[in-house]
Amino acid sequence: MKKFNLLLISKNEDVFSELGKALAEDEHHRVVHCSLPGQVYEAVAAGRVDAVIVDEEIEGGAGLEFVRELLRSNPFINCALVSSLYPGEFHEATEGYGVFMQLPLHPGREEAREISDHLAKIC
């Protein structure tokens, strides 16, 4: 099985502490936390990213806006996004951007399993 390079982007590492631990327990995942959008762009440009998991708020603004910008320039990158929007609102806000998953405000083990299952199917 392929090893997945996952970037968690948040200005507060605690948001992804449980999710990051759960993902890192899988030997097929390499998990890196980024606090700045520029770090993500550098990693994506170097071809070292299979998925980006984005907090609702990141350095410099809203996670949704970052995802929209990232996917405009890198349409094949897999993105999941933490969002407090209702599912229908989230679908409307992200439609056409290829966001594969809405995550709760404090994602954990269950979401890590769902992310792993999804990546195993599409990558």
Side-chain angles (χ1 to χ4, degrees), residues 64-65 67-72 74-79 91-100:
L64 177 57
E65 291 306 314
V67 167
R68 286 179 177 157
E69 187 175 313
L70 176 66
L71 290 172
R72 275 189 209 112
N74 301 281
F76 299 111
I77 197 78
N78 296 295
C79 286
H91 176 76
E92 286 293 318
T94 61
E95 188 171 16
Y97 289 101
V99 175
F100 71 86

